Amino acid sequence: MTETQDIGSTTSFDLVAPVSVVPRGVIVIEAALETMPFSPGVYRMLDEKGDALYVGKARSLKKRVASYTQLGRLPERLRRMVMETVSMEIVTTHTEPEALLLEANLIKKLRPRFNIVLRDDKSYPWLMLAEDNDFPQVVKHRGAQTRKGSYWGPFASAWAVNQSLTAIERLFLLRSCSDSVFANRTRPCLLFQIKRCSAPCVGHINREDYAQLVGQAKAFLTGKAATVQQELAAEMEQASAAMEFERAATLRDRIRGLTHVQGTGVINPASLTDADVVAAWQIAGQTCVQVFFVRGGRNNGNRAFFPSHTKAEEIGDVLGAFITQFYEDKPPPPLLLLNQPVPERLLIAEALAIKAGRHVTLAVPQRGEKRAVVAHAELNARETLERKLAETAGQGKLMEATAELFGLAPSVERIEVYDNSHIMGTNAYGVMVVAGPEGLMKQAYRKFSIKGPIAPGDDFAMMREVLQRRFGRALKEHADREDPHWPDLVVIDGGAGQLSAARAVMEELGVSDIPLVAIAKGPDRNAGREWFHSTNTAPFQLPPRDPVLYFLQRLRDEAHRFAITTHRAGRSRTISQSELDEIDGIGAARKRALLHHFGSARGVKQAGLADLAAVPGINRETARRVYAYFHPGVRMESVS
């Protein structure tokens, strides 16, 4: 649910506070309360830049927001939030569950500093049975579910959905090839040979029998595996009685495969069909939430999450906020099994029911099989969090050792590493990767498409442009240098030349207090013999097995990997787009034929009319159209 929906109205409150002993935030809130309604809705606390500090929902906006004026009764976190508040916005809704859904949407969108925030930007794969063909296709699917067919999921990972896809192929012999491949096959493919497809493409199975396989697959995926197994057993007996021993053997193999899948792929009790098992564990103010997806009586995998929150947050509050945000963009199952009670459990269930269009139950089982499943998820959450904390401790020690190596303050919180990638100056990109005490901060990575005229191979100019854009923008947006994303150390992939270019840019910008380090490959580009160049010390090397050397190598290699993948993605987009796209009558097939024949758009541009007409799939009229596009001043009558 978003603000653009017809759920209520939006109101803003701004006030320039007079000089007073009363905090400005309290004055702003009191002014907002004068016209604030008692209806349900969502409120936003905003800072002086207009960014959201906090998003909350309320059954009665006026009663809830009034509590923020009582600073003495608020925890320290909320007191700091009120002190920073300079304006408020509210959105009224018809009901409190609608407010809860809107709150989750805004928190995921705005990521306020004082909220519990789930960072979950990844899409989840689904298993799809595309039914827009007489012989439905089973495939892995991501994104909007617009194609006609049946969908099962979500799955925790691509690996989990691939396992199920393989099982469906082996058990029910459904095709997974695309419609274009299916329509043009003249003989069975390898999947038929290894007994993972019934080869409908060449008529090895008729439409009615294939439809029966599709029906069995649907029953299996909806949790009716026992019924399917009984049907196969009856078919096997009939085939055996009719002396169709080859068909009976095939059915026997399918029954064995079905038994194997049921025996090894399910960690949940038989009574659990469609549910998510959600377990949270908290240590030292950090929380890990494990989610196990159970659909059709099968475990579709699990995934760990680490919501962002302050150390003072209780585990039940974190779990409740996680649930509302997690299902903001995905359908909830009819049952959620939790290891902890959550505040406003019935309200959350009602909000999820609105989203799902059916009843949703949140339960904390105390005994029996369901409790065992929750305990298993809880154990996974605890072990995952313990591993993360151990890794974080190691990362923190490496950050401290790096600070000591380069004479920095011990509290290094952010290291930025820069690299660039190009081919002879084309598709040039610069990148920034970021490391912090908890590891690589991938949400902070940045790509810079090089815009200025760069001579081929001029890495210095590319680095200058990247640093100018990164720190020029940072200074423009945060002239007071209070941005929490300001680096404590900048590492450049390169030698003394790259370091000098970077230092010159930083001095031009007036940013001379950020330490700069360049890491250059050793002789013969041998990893382990790198030279380190910094502003205040002579070039030096580290011992081959020094942990800090491994740490900085890993950061440099991550920047190099990110630069290469960014460059390749940009180059692929450039290859797929060319001047040929602008020519009337040149579609994908003709474009591909021309590029394959001449090697590039430039080769097409330089080709003669006769050469163009000689390309397979290009007739004389199309060749004249292409030639005329690249030679607009030439009269076609004069071209042979």
Side-chain angles (χ1 to χ4, degrees):
M1 183 172 298
T2 66
E3 291 182 332
T4 58
Q5 291 178 288
D6 183 22
I7 61 171
S9 60
T10 302
T11 309
S12 296
F13 305 92
D14 297 275
L15 184 68
V16 177
V19 178
S20 172
V21 295
V22 179
R24 178 172 60 175
V26 174
I27 296 174
V28 170
I29 295 172
E30 289 177 342
L33 287 170
E34 293 180 2
T35 56
M36 191 170 293
F38 286 94
S39 59
V42 173
Y43 58 92
R44 279 178 280 183
M45 308 289 197
L46 307 178
D47 63 14
E48 58 186 0
K49 298 174 185 175
D51 296 332
L53 292 168
Y54 183 78
V55 175
K57 62 88 188 161
R59 178 184 302 173
S60 171
L61 283 169
K62 192 161 190 170
K63 290 182 179 179
R64 180 70 183 91
V65 174
S67 66
Y68 291 108
T69 62
Q70 308 295 322
L71 288 182
R73 299 180 180 180
L74 298 177
E76 176 61 27
R77 175 178 67 92
L78 295 183
R79 282 200 296 269
R80 287 190 290 110
M81 178 195 72
V82 172
M83 299 291 283
E84 295 184 35
T85 299
V86 299
S87 64
M88 285 190 64
E89 288 184 357
I90 67 167
V91 181
T92 59
T93 60
H94 298 307
T95 64
E96 190 179 9
E98 286 181 350
L100 182 62
L101 292 174
L102 178 57
E103 178 196 40
N105 177 278
L106 291 175
I107 290 174
K108 290 197 73 173
K109 178 182 177 182
L110 302 176
R111 295 182 177 178
R113 285 194 289 123
F114 290 92
N115 278 98
I116 300 169
V117 178
L118 169 64
R119 299 180 182 273
D120 179 30
D121 298 327
K122 296 181 179 179
S123 64
Y124 290 80
W126 290 64
L127 193 66
M128 178 184 71
L129 187 64
E131 298 176 282
D132 50 4
N133 190 291
D134 290 339
F135 295 92
Q137 163 201 22
V138 59
V139 291
K140 177 173 62 177
H141 175 82
R142 289 183 187 266
Q145 298 178 4
T146 56
R147 189 175 178 184
K148 180 183 177 182
S150 302
Y151 296 83
W152 289 273
F155 289 78
S157 63
W159 179 86
V161 74
N162 286 336
Q163 290 290 102
S164 292
L165 182 60
T166 300
I168 293 298
E169 290 176 346
R170 287 176 173 168
L171 294 175
F172 305 105
L173 309 177
L174 301 184
R175 71 178 183 95
S176 58
C177 59
S178 65
D179 287 346
S180 59
V181 171
F182 175 77
N184 292 287
R185 291 295 304 183
T186 58
R187 59 179 181 176
C189 67
L190 179 62
L191 289 178
F192 174 77
Q193 306 296 335
I194 61 175
K195 298 182 180 179
R196 284 175 53 179
C197 181
S198 54
C201 54
V202 293
H204 278 250
I205 186 173
N206 60 40
R207 188 180 306 174
E208 290 73 20
D209 290 342
Y210 192 87
Q212 184 181 6
L213 294 177
V214 170
Q216 291 174 346
K218 286 183 175 181
F220 171 76
L221 290 168
T222 52
K224 300 176 181 177
T227 301
V228 174
Q229 194 161 6
Q230 292 172 1
E231 291 180 2
L232 293 178
E235 287 185 40
M236 183 181 67
E237 291 179 2
Q238 292 175 2
S240 178
M243 297 187 179
E244 298 175 358
F245 299 117
E246 186 175 349
R247 180 168 174 267
T250 301
L251 291 167
R252 178 204 60 199
D253 293 341
R254 290 178 59 195
I255 292 171
R256 288 177 177 175
L258 188 59
T259 303
H260 176 75
V261 169
Q262 287 179 280
T264 61
V266 182
I267 64 165
N268 52 285
S271 59
L272 205 58
T273 304
D274 291 326
D276 283 348
V277 184
V278 187
W281 192 266
Q282 198 172 73
I283 302 175
Q286 294 192 46
T287 306
C288 173
V289 181
Q290 279 276 356
V291 181
F292 281 77
F293 303 95
V294 179
R295 298 294 184 273
R298 295 173 315 283
N299 176 26
N300 283 359
N302 63 293
R303 181 174 287 186
F305 301 88
F306 300 91
S308 173
H309 62 86
T310 63
K311 292 185 177 181
E313 297 286 358
E314 297 291 337
I315 188 170
D317 295 327
V318 176
L319 186 58
F322 170 87
I323 291 170
T324 56
Q325 294 177 46
F326 182 71
Y327 293 105
E328 190 274 328
D329 58 354
K330 58 183 70 66
L335 175 63
L336 271 67
L337 297 180
L338 314 179
N339 74 319
Q340 296 281 344
V342 296
E344 301 182 314
R345 176 178 62 87
L346 296 179
L347 175 63
I348 294 174
E350 186 178 353
L352 295 182
I354 292 174
K355 187 169 187 62
R358 51 172 164 70
H359 185 69
V360 175
T361 301
L362 276 65
V364 184
Q366 301 298 317
R367 61 183 68 85
E369 292 181 322
K370 292 180 180 178
R371 175 57 198 166
V373 174
V374 171
H376 176 78
E378 186 178 76
L379 177 62
N380 275 264
R382 187 185 74 185
E383 292 178 345
T384 302
L385 182 56
E386 288 173 347
R387 286 195 299 269
K388 179 178 174 61
L389 291 175
E391 292 169 0
T392 300
Q395 179 84 2
K397 291 180 181 178
L398 288 171
M399 297 278 284
E400 292 176 3
T402 302
E404 182 180 356
L405 175 66
F406 295 109
L408 310 178
S411 58
V412 173
E413 298 292 328
R414 182 182 176 102
I415 298 177
E416 294 181 357
V417 188
Y418 293 85
D419 194 9
N420 56 59
S421 182
H422 62 95
I423 294 180
M424 296 301 292
T426 63
N427 302 117
Y429 285 88
V431 300
M432 174 187 83
V433 304
V434 184
E438 296 185 2
L440 295 173
M441 303 164 61
K442 294 194 175 183
Q443 72 275 10
Y445 285 16
R446 293 293 180 268
K447 307 172 185 177
F448 302 88
S449 176
I450 303 300
K451 299 177 180 178
I454 304 295
D458 191 351
D459 290 343
F460 296 167
M462 295 181 193
M463 187 59 63
R464 281 195 294 270
E465 179 177 331
V466 169
L467 294 177
Q468 284 171 349
R469 288 166 59 183
R470 191 289 187 235
F471 290 100
R473 180 176 180 179
L475 287 171
K476 183 178 179 180
E477 296 179 351
H478 304 279
D480 54 6
R481 301 281 297 275
E482 292 184 358
D483 180 16
H485 301 145
W486 203 262
D488 299 304
L489 175 66
V490 169
V491 178
I492 308 296
D493 183 27
Q498 280 84 354
L499 180 65
S500 297
R503 187 187 304 119
V505 171
M506 303 296 267
E507 290 175 353
E508 289 175 9
L509 295 171
V511 185
S512 56
D513 57 335
I514 296 181
L516 299 173
V517 171
I519 176 171
K521 290 282 182 64
D524 302 321
R525 302 184 67 79
N526 185 9
R529 302 180 62 188
E530 285 87 350
W531 283 91
F532 293 91
H533 304 262
S534 64
T535 306
N536 301 320
T537 61
F540 64 92
Q541 291 179 296
L542 291 172
R545 296 185 179 180
D546 192 302
V548 177
L549 174 62
Y550 288 144
F551 174 59
L552 294 173
Q553 283 175 343
R554 191 164 73 248
L555 296 185
R556 187 268 321 278
D557 293 343
E558 172 65 7
H560 189 60
R561 179 203 65 78
F562 189 47
I564 290 293
T565 54
T566 301
H567 164 74
R568 285 175 178 168
R571 188 176 64 190
S572 297
R573 286 192 296 269
T574 301
I575 290 173
S576 63
Q577 300 172 355
S578 71
E579 292 179 277
L580 300 179
D581 295 320
E582 304 298 325
I583 304 175
D584 185 36
I586 299 297
R590 286 175 173 171
K591 174 186 172 182
R592 185 165 52 249
L594 289 167
L595 291 176
H596 285 177
H597 188 85
F598 294 105
S600 65
R602 184 178 181 182
V604 178
K605 184 176 182 178
Q606 295 174 345
L609 180 60
D611 295 328
L612 291 168
V615 177
I618 304 298
N619 57 33
R620 184 75 176 180
E621 178 58 31
T622 303
R624 290 170 65 87
R625 193 179 299 122
V626 173
Y627 189 86
Y629 178 84
F630 289 114
H631 306 84
V634 178
R635 296 182 60 185
M636 297 304 298
E637 292 79 2
S638 63
V639 181
S640 58

